[in-house]
Amino acid sequence: MSHITHPAQTLLDNLDGFTVDIYPEKKRADIVLGRPPFNIISMLQREQLRLVFEALDTNDDVQVIVLRAEGEHFSSGGDIRGFLEASPEHVSKLAWNVAAPERCTKPVIAANRGYCFGVGFELSLACDFRIATTTSEYALPEQKLGQIPGSGGSARLQKMVGIGRTKDIVMRSRRIPGAQAYDWGLVVECVADDQLEVATDKLVAELVRFSPLAQRTAKKLLNDSEEASLSAAIELEGHCYSRLRSSADFREGVEAFHAKRPAHFIGK
């Protein structure tokens, strides 16, 4: 296990409500919410989470990042009192901090069991893959506080499931079970509660076998082309494809395919 470093190291010296574990032999880093039973996420924690994602993005020992939690619930949401006490400047940065998994160039997996509410749901929506269990419940309950989601929750949700289902979740503060989230395409898998770690490990092991360069390219292309027209998206895809053709990883992939052996990618 190794450690993280970042220019804003003073903010990372005392992590508020979470830990970071790096496993170089697995090419994996785990960000673990650690304030059970409900893993409430503080204002400071959001900023620190952003800094951690930025640090892990530059760590050559890490190819895949997992966001998970201790206990029976992923997160019941944010510190409600913190909203009343936070300055307008701090609040204005909430969406930027929560979008850190999306900006990160590496694949990010959210492992969700139990409650996944409010900012916990918003953080998960900003990840690339979500795995739920039969105990999972997803919700954006801000209407009960006279508010709306403020960190990209309703916007990302609408892109994924459409305006009708998003209104159903946001305007009614309705909870969506893990199985329904899977049916709606919100999560890639819904497993028995005791199988969450196994399913997460399996997805990590699958992702680290691919070229880090090709994974970064695919993630950026898909994120960048989400709002583009079909013709523009195809044009972007073609440029990315052309650049990867000159990479060492592509050459290795082709040679490994013809030699009928596993490819050994280096990310270049």
Side-chain angles (χ1 to χ4, degrees):
M1 188 182 303
S2 59
H3 301 284
I4 58 173
T5 58
H6 189 275
Q9 190 61 48
T10 53
L11 263 177
L12 293 173
D13 287 338
N14 296 291
L15 298 179
D16 182 39
F18 72 104
T19 57
V20 182
D21 300 322
I22 300 176
Y23 306 94
E25 71 283 0
K26 298 179 181 179
K27 302 179 181 178
R28 165 177 176 167
D30 285 23
I31 300 173
V32 187
L33 306 183
R35 194 179 278 122
F38 299 116
N39 293 310
I40 293 171
I41 298 172
S42 71
M43 289 292 186
L44 173 61
Q45 187 175 350
R46 299 172 198 226
E47 185 172 5
Q48 290 180 329
L49 284 167
R50 171 181 63 80
L51 294 172
V52 164
F53 273 107
E54 291 173 355
L56 293 175
D57 207 8
T58 62
N59 189 318
D60 292 336
D61 289 334
V62 176
Q63 191 171 331
V64 176
I65 301 169
V66 175
L67 179 62
R68 58 184 180 87
E70 294 180 7
E72 61 183 304
H73 298 294
F74 180 77
S75 173
S76 65
D79 178 10
I80 303 302
R81 190 174 298 278
F83 281 97
L84 298 176
E85 298 171 351
S87 68
E89 181 182 10
H90 200 155
V91 171
S92 69
K93 297 178 181 178
L94 293 181
W96 177 255
N97 289 336
V98 170
E102 188 174 77
R103 290 194 306 274
C104 179
T105 64
K106 299 173 180 179
V108 183
I109 302 166
N112 302 137
R113 64 161 42 93
Y115 296 162
C116 188
F117 297 166
V119 69
F121 191 10
E122 291 179 308
L123 275 167
S124 298
L125 287 170
C127 296
D128 303 301
F129 305 94
R130 286 159 294 284
I131 302 176
T133 82
T134 51
T135 70
S136 298
E137 291 185 86
Y138 295 94
L140 293 169
E142 287 82 0
Q143 288 283 302
K144 294 179 179 179
L145 301 173
Q147 253 297 3
I148 63 170
S151 298
S154 57
R156 287 191 177 86
L157 193 60
Q158 185 172 336
K159 295 291 185 185
M160 295 179 189
V161 302
I163 189 171
R165 286 172 171 170
T166 301
K167 285 179 178 179
D168 190 37
I169 293 173
V170 173
M171 296 178 70
R172 298 173 65 192
S173 290
R174 195 159 81 80
R175 299 183 184 185
I176 303 299
Q180 187 172 4
Y182 176 73
D183 289 341
W184 285 9
L186 273 175
V187 303
V188 295
E189 201 169 354
C190 181
V191 299
D193 196 63
D194 62 357
Q195 292 299 301
L196 179 60
E197 287 74 23
V198 173
T200 303
D201 293 347
K202 184 179 178 181
L203 181 53
V204 171
E206 176 187 332
L207 292 172
V208 297
R209 288 197 295 266
F210 295 120
S211 159
L213 179 60
Q215 289 272 288
R216 290 196 301 270
T217 303
K219 177 171 179 174
K220 187 174 190 327
L221 170 64
L222 292 169
N223 286 345
D224 289 352
S225 61
E226 186 178 16
E227 303 295 331
S229 65
L230 178 59
S231 60
I234 291 173
E235 183 77 12
L236 285 170
E237 183 182 89
H239 287 305
C240 292
Y241 175 83
S242 296
R243 287 199 298 271
L244 284 176
R245 281 179 60 87
S246 62
S247 70
D249 276 357
F250 178 65
R251 177 174 293 278
E252 165 63 12
V254 172
E255 291 176 354
F257 175 81
H258 287 293
K260 295 182 171 54
R261 61 169 175 80
H264 301 286
F265 297 116
I266 59 174
K268 297 183 180 178

